[in-house]
Each structure stands twice: as structure tokens, then as C-alpha cells.
Amino acid sequence: MSETDHPQLQRKLGARHLNMIAIGGSIGTGLFLASGQTIATAGPGGALLAYVLIGIMIYFLMTSLGELATHNPTSGAFFTYGNKYVEEGFGFALGWNYWYNWAITVAFELVAVQFIMKFWFPDIPGFWWSALFLAIIFCINALTVKGFGESEFLFSLVKVIAIIFFIVIGLFMIGKIMLDPTDSITKNWTVGEAPFVGGFQALVGVAMIAGFSFQGTEMVGVAAGESKDPKKTIPIAIKQIFWRILLFYILCIFIIGTLVAYTDPNLALAAEGDGNITLSPFTLLYEKAGLAFAAGLMNAVILTAIMSAGNSGMYSSTRMLFDMAREGKAPRVFSKLDLRGVPMNALYATTAIAALCFLTTFIGESMCGFIVWLGIAISHYRFRKGYLAQGYKLEDLAYRAKFFPFGPWFAFILCAIIILGQNAEAVLDGKWMSVLSTYISIPLFLVIWLGYKWKHKSKLIAYDQMDVQPIQVEKE
């Protein structure tokens, strides 16, 4: 394909790629490492409740995204949906928020890879591992989109096998406890203040951590822009998300909470985040099972998770920047494609920003992902209202989200509670520097949105004026 003024991405991602992208997006260091922090902070009951609530929210969000993505499969995803179904400034802010979020995430993974490689090569400076990691994910993304899909398929497959192995070992250990009359599977659920520790504030805090673990599932929406047959492949991926959430997260948290007490000093050390792989709850459980290779095994799995997160983050942010440029919401230079259908200029820019953030240590978890999820809920609610207002029938939708309007409302309210309540204690105590560091993503989003709105005089799109026509995709 030659470069043109109106470039087209290559629809080369099949059903198996999308399924694994959805899995890979929801399995990462958040589960392998941060799950221990949630149990140490809120107890096994609090951690399990947080993951259940976030899991339900993610299910509703993905059904909303499934309806939007099958009707309008574009790499712009949330930017496009906010732009078409809410208000231009809102979509503009969502797009830049998402690009920034994943560019920062790539930088975060550049730091994380240093801790992992230090386990095997303690004498080599971590900077060189970060540089190598960035070069690898750049090269993967510089290939065709199918090359990205194959790499993500392999990364995700490793993570899935690791989790299934963990679940089998964990259930076997629980079974041994149940057969031992001198032991009890409820002991770690009743020790100290368990099952719920720290009250509402602790629950909100671990819900944010759980949400950070789930961030990436929405990448299916971005990948829809390069899917071979989105009206078939997207619904398949969306329908399987609930069972993945139930199996991979809820069951893992239950097993960890049952076999490792929240008072375990190793979990407390993990909550402090010193990067020690031996503190992973997965490693702790393997050691309890007598597996001497536990630390080395989990180190390899977590390295794969980091590679996957960096790889998919680079892909999503690059495609978002490309689509915004194509729509005139970013410099046009980023809308150019090379002969393989890869937006190289957008890839160069994203790589440079990730490297700059890494070098300046401007890295940290933020609420950007939750803001994107809020945008998905709002966009879906307004799309459905506009679709019906213009006389279209629900039966004509290629995929229809269940539980509407409860689903998007539930997701919106829960996201809002977590965002606003994340550091409520600092607000009440007047610790304004802590408040600023926690909530900085909100004013940044509002400044971008309202700044665009003020400059371009954009208004909320009326239901009867929305462009709800579906995008027709030619099968390749």
C-alpha cells in the first residue's frame, strides 16, 4: 500500500489475535505483583470485593465498547466515539488523555524491566535493559500489524498458561487443607481484622489498584480498526471477557487470600513496592508448595507481562495519535503511513515521549484509565439514545450490549466514586500537595476539554443530529 493523503490501516488482526489482546490487556504486573498489596491493605475480603466490583464494571464497559466498536470499528475508538456521540471537545480530550496514559505506561514498564533483569544480572546497569526493552517494542510495532498481533498472542499465551498453572497448584493446596482435620481454609479469612481491613477508604484505594490491573482490556476497541471482520471478531472477544475476569482475577485473589494471610510480612513489604520479585504472592504460594524454582519462574512470567504491556501500550497510543491526526485533532504529520500500513511518525513521537518521561522520571500511576472508562460509558449511553431517537432498531445492531442502561450507569457511578474518593482523606486533612499529586489528571483533562470547547465553540451533540450510520468494512 502506498502512502496517500487519506491512509488506511491494514485489517490483518483475526479472532485469535483479538481474543489474546483482550486477555493480554487484562493480565499484567497488576495481578502478579499488586494483588499482594491489595490483600495486605484491605484484607482478603476487601481485596476480593474490590476485584469483584471492578470486574463487574469492566464487563459492562466491554459490552458497551463492543456495541460501539462493532458499529464503528476505528482505531480512534474512544476519541471517535466521544467526538461523534458526546461533544467534539470531549472526544478531543479523551484521545489525548488515552495517548498520554499509554505513553506514560510504556515509560513505567521501562523502569519495571530493570527490577526484573536485576534478579538475573545484578551487575549490569538497569538503564541498558530499559534501552533494549524500548528498542524491542519499537521494532515489533514498526512491523506490520499482523507482526504485532502474533507477538501479543505469544506474550498472552505465556501469561494464560502461568495463571492456569497457579490456579491448579492453589486449588490443590486448598484441597489438602480441607482434608486435614487440624487445619481450616477459613483461618486466613478470620485472622486479625479479616476479612475486611481498613474500612471504606482502604476499599476505594485497592479498587484503584484493581482498576489499574484491568487497564488494557479496552485495547480491543483500538484493535477493532485493524480487525479483519470486526462485526464477528469483536463480539467473540467481548463475550469471553466475563469468564476471563472470573477465572483469572477473582479465583486468583480467592486462592491468595485463602493461602497467604494478609498479615504476612512479605505482603506488607510488597505493598511498599520495593520491586523484589520474591515478594510476589504468586512466588510466596509456589514456595509454600515446595517449588524451589518459584522465583525464577515468576520472574520470567512477569518479564513477559512487562513486554506485553509495553508492546500493547505502544500500539494503542500510536494508533490513537494516528487517528487524531487523520481527523485534524493532532498535527497532520502523524497521519502518514509507510508502505506496510504502519503510522511510523506517530510511532516515533510516542517512543520519544515514553523515553523522555523515563529519563526525567516523570512517571506515576494516574487516573487517566478511569477517565477513559468514564468516556466509554457516557459515549455508549448517548449513542444508544441517539440511535433509537433516529428511528433505528436495536435488532439491526451487529452486537447489542446487555443490561442497558444499567450497565453504563453502573460503570459511570463506580468510576466516579473511585476517582473522587481515591485520596479523600488528604482532602479532609487539607494535605493539598498530596491532593494535587493524586487528582492532577482531572484538571488536565478538563483544561484540554474546556480549552477546545472555548476555542472551537463546540456544543453537546443532540440525539437527532448524531452520525449513527455504521461503518462498512470490506473483508480482506
Side-chain angles (χ1 to χ4, degrees):
M1 185 187 73
S2 61
E3 293 184 4
T4 69
D5 292 332
H6 301 285
Q8 297 294 322
L9 297 172
Q10 300 295 296
R11 293 188 176 275
K12 300 293 186 181
L13 296 178
R16 67 183 180 89
H17 297 122
L18 288 179
N19 287 338
M20 281 301 188
I21 287 173
I23 293 175
S26 60
I27 302 174
T29 54
L31 176 61
F32 294 126
L33 290 175
S35 54
Q37 180 180 354
T38 63
I39 293 173
T41 302
L48 187 63
L49 178 59
Y51 275 92
V52 167
L53 288 175
I54 296 297
I56 293 172
M57 182 189 75
I58 291 297
Y59 171 73
F60 287 141
L61 281 173
M62 291 305 101
T63 57
S64 292
L65 183 58
E67 184 172 309
L68 293 169
T70 52
H71 191 77
N72 197 340
T74 171
S75 59
F78 333 109
F79 153 69
T80 301
Y81 307 144
N83 192 51
K84 294 178 68 173
Y85 307 133
V86 184
E87 189 259 351
E88 280 190 16
F90 183 75
F92 179 79
L94 272 183
W96 281 108
N97 174 83
Y98 191 74
W99 174 78
Y100 160 82
N101 179 49
W102 281 106
I104 292 296
T105 299
V106 173
F108 178 83
E109 304 302 340
L110 293 179
V111 175
V113 75
Q114 295 186 15
F115 292 112
I116 301 304
M117 299 308 295
K118 186 178 180 180
F119 177 86
W120 288 309
F121 306 98
D123 298 327
I124 298 179
F127 173 84
W128 297 111
W129 294 120
S130 296
L132 178 61
F133 172 81
L134 183 61
I136 291 173
I137 62 174
F138 173 86
C139 290
I140 291 175
N141 279 270
L143 299 173
T144 63
V145 67
K146 189 171 183 180
F148 161 78
E150 294 297 344
S151 66
E152 198 58 30
F153 179 87
L154 293 175
F155 289 148
S156 297
L157 185 61
V158 171
K159 293 186 286 186
V160 169
I161 292 173
I163 288 183
I164 292 175
F165 181 67
F166 173 82
I167 290 174
V168 170
I169 294 295
L171 292 178
F172 176 76
M173 294 175 67
I174 291 175
K176 287 184 63 177
I177 293 174
M178 294 177 65
L179 294 175
D180 186 350
T182 64
D183 208 344
S184 172
I185 65 170
T186 63
K187 64 180 181 181
N188 289 332
W189 291 79
T190 55
V191 65
E193 299 178 35
F196 298 99
V197 179
F200 179 74
Q201 185 61 38
L203 179 62
V204 172
V206 299
M208 174 63 80
I209 297 172
F212 182 76
S213 301
F214 279 111
Q215 287 182 25
T217 50
E218 76 286 339
M219 286 181 185
V220 174
V222 177
E226 294 177 276
S227 170
K228 289 181 181 178
D229 188 1
K231 293 188 182 300
K232 290 184 178 180
T233 56
I234 296 296
I236 292 173
I238 294 297
K239 289 176 181 177
Q240 294 179 2
I241 282 179
F242 174 75
W243 298 109
R244 287 197 291 267
I245 291 172
L246 181 66
L247 177 64
F248 294 147
Y249 275 92
I250 309 304
L251 192 52
C252 282
I253 294 297
F254 170 77
I255 290 172
I256 295 169
T258 300
L259 297 175
V260 183
Y262 84 92
T263 55
D264 189 307
N266 288 315
L267 288 185
L269 289 173
E272 296 174 5
D274 76 342
N276 189 342
I277 185 61
T278 62
L279 302 179
S280 165
F282 283 66
T283 305
L284 296 177
L285 187 141
Y286 286 145
E287 290 176 345
K288 286 179 178 290
L291 301 178
F293 56 86
L297 172 66
M298 284 312 304
N299 206 57
V301 171
I302 293 173
L303 177 62
T304 302
I306 291 173
M307 289 291 294
S308 176
N311 188 40
S312 55
M314 185 73 80
Y315 168 81
S316 294
S317 53
T318 296
R319 265 46 178 194
M320 184 60 66
L321 183 58
F322 161 79
D323 209 79
M324 288 192 297
R326 187 172 59 175
E327 297 297 325
K329 300 300 191 296
R332 286 287 185 184
V333 66
F334 299 129
S335 68
K336 298 295 183 180
L337 294 176
D338 68 2
L339 296 177
R340 300 181 304 276
V342 178
M344 289 301 299
N345 289 344
L347 178 59
Y348 291 139
T350 302
T351 303
I353 292 299
L356 182 63
C357 290
F358 166 71
L359 293 173
T360 58
T361 66
F362 185 62
I363 304 169
E365 296 180 14
S366 69
M367 299 181 182
C368 295
F370 281 88
I371 292 174
V372 169
W373 291 345
L374 277 174
I376 293 174
I378 295 170
S379 298
H380 176 232
Y381 180 84
R382 288 187 53 78
F383 163 75
R384 178 72 76 87
K385 290 290 187 180
Y387 188 80
L388 293 177
Q390 295 185 30
Y392 291 96
K393 297 180 180 179
L394 293 180
E395 293 76 16
D396 295 331
L397 290 172
Y399 175 82
R400 183 170 61 192
K402 297 179 180 179
F403 308 110
F404 182 91
F406 175 78
W409 269 114
F410 178 87
F412 177 87
I413 293 172
L414 187 56
C415 272
I417 290 174
I418 294 172
I419 289 175
L420 297 177
Q422 175 61 23
N423 203 2
E425 185 176 351
V427 176
L428 296 175
D429 293 341
K431 298 177 180 178
W432 302 117
M433 289 303 298
S434 178
V435 171
L436 179 63
S437 64
T438 300
Y439 295 102
I440 187 63
S441 297
I442 299 176
L444 284 176
F445 178 82
L446 292 175
V447 166
I448 297 173
W449 178 10
L450 298 179
Y452 183 97
K453 187 178 182 68
W454 174 77
K455 181 179 180 181
H456 297 277
K457 311 300 179 185
S458 57
K459 297 181 179 179
L460 187 69
I461 302 172
Y463 290 134
D464 60 355
Q465 295 179 0
M466 286 182 185
D467 177 12
V468 296
Q469 290 290 328
I471 290 181
Q472 301 299 326
V473 177
E474 295 183 6
K475 299 180 181 179
E476 296 189 6

